Structures are given as structure tokens and as C-alpha cells.
Amino acid sequence: MLTATDLPETIALFPLPGALLLPRAKLPLHIFEPRYLQMIEDCMATRHRLIGMIQPRPTPGGAGERLHAIGCAGRLTAFSETEDGRYMITLTGISRFRVRAERTETAMPYRQAQVDWSDFGPDLGHAERDPALDRDGFMALLTRYFEAMALSTEWDSLKEAEDELLINALAMLCPFPPEERQALLEAPSLTTRRETLVTLMEFAMRGARGGDSNDRMQ
């Protein structure tokens, strides 16, 4: 288990729209671009094996690709290579970070940044609980959301999941737009993330059903 002293000042960045990684969650990725193949190889040569998942920020007129200030670093915990040289990897979320400055003078084909971990100390601790979670009401809302969006899931697994696994798995799996996923990432606590998740599901259902007022969680 990594501690605060293990976290590096500079990490490789993997900008990927819509990809959300949260602490202690797992994110499978399929790597095929040459620059990111090199990033994975370089990552495996480090002691920490960390890659910073971060979302691009929309820019007017498409002038360059700016990044959001906050991302989440994942540790490379599973790796396999296909016959044609692609990599199948899994990142396990370690901690969120704030970008201090991108490194511009580098020979690497991928982006790197100096990062600050200090705002996210609890990410390195134990799994969070959500003491305000009304599980029955939340699951009822989730059922309506999945029906409205024509989604399916393993309901038995969700019902038995601990608070953090339940909320974070849904935050990562539900088909929200990138900016809404960023809001879930930046939520300061598990309770806030669940409240944001509820708001996003209610909003999505109102859009899918033309503003049906019965979608609000009771």
C-alpha cells in the first residue's frame, strides 16, 4: 500500500474524455497509441507505477487541449500484451491530485505534470462510509434510472456492496457526460458524491421522460 511519502512530484498524464477513476476503484484500459504504449513501459520501470488519469477541458474554438486541474492517479496493477502489441491494463485508484504545472521541456511523447497531493490525504486511507445513505431509497431511484436509460446490472452484487464500492462503481459506470463525471471526481466526500450522483440521475431521467416530476428521490 502506497503512503504519502511514496507519491512522486511528477507523474505521466493520460487525458481521456469520460474516463473516471476514483480511489480504491479499478479501471481497465486498452492501450494502443504508440505514445501511450511507451508511457506504460516507462511506468512499469518506476517504483510507484502511477499514471494520472485526467479529463480534457473543453476549449472555445478547439484551440489546444487544456486539462482539468484535478485528476486521479492509478497504480498499474494488471498488465497483458496482445499478439499485435497492444496492452490491456488495469489501474487501481490511489489518490486524486491537483496539477501544479505541466512539464513542457521533455522528450517524452506523452504529457507529464508536477502535481500536488496535499488536498486529498484521506484518499490514501480506508474505504469511506456514507452515514446518511438511505440505501432502500437510493436503490429504488437506481432501479428507475436503469429502466429509464435501458441499462442492466448485477443487482444482487449492488445490493450487497459496501457504501464506497456501491457509490463509486455507479459513478464510474453510469453514462454521464465528461463534465458531470468531473464533478463526481471532485466531490469532497463520499456523501457529497452520492448526493451529486442522485442529482445527475434525476436530471437524466427528467430528460429521458420529458420532465416527469415523479423521478425525484423521496
Side-chain angles (χ1 to χ4, degrees):
M1 181 176 179
L2 293 178
T3 65
T5 57
D6 297 319
L7 300 177
E9 293 184 358
T10 300
I11 59 173
L13 298 180
F14 191 179
L16 191 59
L20 176 61
L21 177 63
L22 294 167
R24 290 172 291 277
K26 295 184 182 298
L27 178 66
L29 292 169
H30 172 203
I31 309 298
F32 54 89
E33 286 190 47
R35 57 178 168 168
Y36 294 125
L37 293 173
Q38 181 175 338
M39 179 185 70
I40 298 303
E41 293 169 2
D42 293 344
C43 173
M44 289 192 294
T46 66
R47 178 177 52 84
H48 52 74
R49 302 202 310 275
L50 292 178
I51 292 172
M53 297 301 301
I54 196 163
Q55 294 205 100
R57 182 192 295 272
T59 54
E65 185 181 66
R66 298 175 58 193
L67 302 176
H68 278 281
I70 295 174
C72 184
R75 192 166 196 242
L76 202 160
T77 51
F79 169 90
S80 64
E81 183 176 1
T82 64
E83 292 184 357
D84 59 358
R86 293 172 289 124
Y87 295 159
M88 311 297 288
I89 69 168
T90 299
L91 297 180
T92 299
I94 299 298
S95 174
R96 289 169 292 175
F97 60 85
R98 187 180 300 276
V99 174
R100 294 176 56 196
E102 274 202 69
R103 292 187 60 184
T104 56
E105 297 180 2
T106 174
M108 300 302 181
Y110 50 86
R111 299 169 80 164
Q112 295 176 297
Q114 293 179 321
V115 298
D116 181 6
W117 311 91
S118 61
D119 290 340
F120 308 105
D123 288 359
L124 294 171
H126 297 291
E128 285 188 79
R129 299 293 302 273
D130 181 1
L133 173 63
D134 171 9
R135 186 170 284 257
D136 290 340
F138 184 74
M139 294 303 296
L141 173 67
L142 185 62
T143 299
R144 297 197 301 274
Y145 171 77
F146 270 60
E147 290 175 351
M149 306 304 291
L151 301 173
S152 61
T153 188
E154 293 288 339
W155 289 106
D156 290 341
S157 298
L158 286 181
K159 291 176 182 177
E160 296 175 1
E162 296 293 335
D163 294 356
E164 183 180 85
L165 179 59
L166 171 66
I167 293 166
N168 285 355
L170 290 170
M172 293 174 64
L173 293 174
C174 289
F176 300 126
E179 291 302 302
E180 295 179 358
R181 288 176 177 267
Q182 186 68 25
L184 291 165
L185 171 68
E186 296 185 14
S189 68
L190 189 65
T191 297
T192 306
R193 184 169 297 128
R194 187 255 307 159
E195 292 170 346
T196 304
L197 187 59
V198 166
T199 299
L200 294 177
M201 288 192 292
E202 290 174 342
F203 181 80
M205 286 190 293
R206 286 197 295 272
R209 297 176 179 174
D212 187 346
S213 62
N214 292 326
D215 289 329
R216 183 165 296 278
M217 183 174 175
Q218 301 297 318

